[in-house]
Amino acid sequence: MEKIKILLDCDPGHDDAIAILLAGLNEKIDLLGISAVSGNQTLDKTARNAYNVSRYLNINVPISLGADRPLKRERLNCGEIHGESGLDGFSFPKYTYDYDKRRAPEFIKDMLLANNDVIMVTTGPMTNLAIALSKYPEIKRHIKKIILMGGSIGEGNISPYAEFNILADAEAADICFRSGLPIRMIGLDVTRKVLVLEKIVKNMGLLHTKSSEMFVALMKFFNKTQKEVFGLEGGPLHDPVTIVSLIDDRVLTYEKMDVTINICNTERYGETICVPNTNSNIEVATKIDVNLYWEVIKAGLNKY
Ligand code: BDR
Ligand code: CA
């Protein structure tokens, strides 16, 4: 069976780290490369975290530095959840940070033009992809689909209306959503159903693999801050849903909807306005099979 080619643009981040872990070693996925963006922490930190996680797990794909700020608005980071480093809770060995020489938009362009039918996965603000689409429109033909963690149907985490990845650069999300490309949006209302409860952390710890040890340490920190900031008993493991949906297509249910990004300077800035339309190019995840999700995560942790 032909592998699914993906490019992963991310801002690690605890949940992004698990998305890298899953994408990096799966028989169904060919991870072509990773690009980092400012989001959960500043760019220098998210890039270093992407590098640390990849190399620690022997995922030897090129890693590119992307945008260090959003297109128009002020930079927004999320240290209260992900810590000072953006990935607090686990100590990685020291590496020589040998990033790809190309910045993310050019890197994404080159990787796409050298391949066909690539799935562009974004798990952070969509700045890098928006710049690439604007600067190099010829890449569109090479993108099979955009799969993103971001937005929601009717709820928010950074404001009552908006989810972090969209609000952190709504102008960029707007460009991507208006691209006409096939899009799968996996929003908060779905990812908040997969909470890393204590029993899940314990269960994964029983695997005693290199990656399960990293998972347990990272999730202990993540759960502490999620409890402090949101009062949750387990942190929502948002970003890996993108990769899990590719590994097992039974995990998510989608509905076709038109999605408009609110870029007006109001309290609703960053809202994803979703209106059902069976002819839309956008599929919005509406349901998740929680047990199956954890089975796929567990299988992923068992591979390293
Ligand atoms: C999203 O925001 C970030 O903090 C997480 O990594 C995830 O991508 C959830 O709103
Ligand atoms: Ca993220």
Side-chain angles (χ1 to χ4, degrees), residues 7-290:
L7 276 175
L8 177 58
D9 187 73
C10 55
D11 63 338
H14 290 72
D15 50 339
D16 301 78
I18 310 307
I20 295 174
L21 183 158
L22 291 179
L25 189 60
N26 188 280
E27 54 286 356
K28 289 190 181 166
I29 294 179
D30 179 7
L31 177 64
L32 301 174
I34 298 173
S35 46
V37 68
S38 167
N40 284 324
Q41 259 299 358
T42 50
L43 176 70
D44 54 333
K45 295 179 181 178
T46 58
R48 193 168 51 214
N49 295 337
Y51 202 100
N52 283 343
V53 172
S54 307
R55 297 308 182 255
Y56 182 71
L57 298 172
N58 292 320
I59 303 170
N60 292 310
V61 298
I63 299 174
S64 157
L65 293 151
D68 64 359
R69 47 156 298 146
L71 295 183
K72 291 195 178 149
R73 55 159 292 145
E74 276 171 33
R75 188 187 293 130
L76 179 68
N77 298 129
C78 196
E80 63 278 19
I81 294 289
H82 299 273
E84 184 53 41
S85 72
L87 197 54
D88 282 10
F90 187 75
S91 296
F92 292 92
K94 295 267 172 282
Y95 299 104
T96 310
Y97 294 93
D98 183 20
Y99 296 113
D100 194 277
K101 300 285 173 284
R102 295 159 292 186
R103 291 305 285 235
E106 196 196 347
F107 173 78
I108 290 172
K109 182 256 293 172
D110 286 351
M111 298 304 262
L112 287 172
L113 295 186
N115 290 281
N116 281 317
D117 290 334
V118 180
I119 301 217
M120 189 69 226
V121 178
T122 68
T123 60
M126 301 180 89
T127 322
N128 291 337
L129 180 57
I131 297 173
L133 286 170
S134 308
K135 243 176 136 177
Y136 311 110
E138 67 274 22
I139 63 176
K140 275 192 179 181
R141 287 196 312 276
H142 298 257
I143 300 177
K144 187 173 182 187
K145 196 173 284 184
I146 299 170
I147 300 186
L148 71 129
M149 188 283 132
S152 76
I153 307 176
E155 58 188 273
N157 52 2
I158 295 295
S159 81
Y161 307 102
E163 180 280 332
F164 177 82
N165 289 339
I166 303 295
L167 185 135
D169 197 348
E171 281 74 17
D174 179 51
I175 290 173
C176 298
F177 273 81
R178 284 191 297 102
S179 66
L181 285 164
I183 295 180
R184 277 191 170 165
M185 176 182 121
I186 302 170
L188 259 192
D189 46 311
V190 164
T191 61
R192 273 182 168 165
K193 300 222 160 55
V194 283
L195 304 178
V196 201
L197 300 169
E198 185 54 36
K199 63 175 186 198
I200 290 173
V201 179
K202 274 207 180 113
N203 189 1
M204 302 297 177
L206 295 176
L207 294 171
H208 295 295
T209 60
K210 190 174 183 183
S211 63
S212 74
E213 277 159 20
M214 184 187 91
F215 178 89
V216 169
L218 289 176
M219 291 306 120
K220 281 189 175 160
F221 181 90
F222 190 54
N223 278 350
K224 185 168 77 63
T225 56
Q226 290 281 351
K227 172 92 182 162
E228 284 161 10
V229 177
F230 294 112
L232 295 170
E233 287 311 320
L237 201 59
H238 308 284
D239 293 339
V241 183
T242 55
I243 308 297
V244 170
S245 73
L246 290 171
I247 296 173
D248 192 325
D249 61 12
R250 298 168 303 169
V251 175
L252 290 179
T253 308
Y254 309 89
E255 283 176 37
K256 289 197 168 193
M257 301 193 190
D258 289 330
V259 179
T260 315
I261 310 293
N262 189 332
I263 49 169
C264 298
N265 200 10
T266 66
E267 57 172 6
R268 287 181 175 259
Y269 176 83
E271 181 181 15
T272 43
I273 303 154
C274 303
V275 179
N277 173 4
T278 49
N279 293 320
S280 179
N281 57 319
I282 303 175
E283 292 176 311
V284 179
T286 50
K287 280 192 200 125
I288 186 161
D289 183 329
V290 176

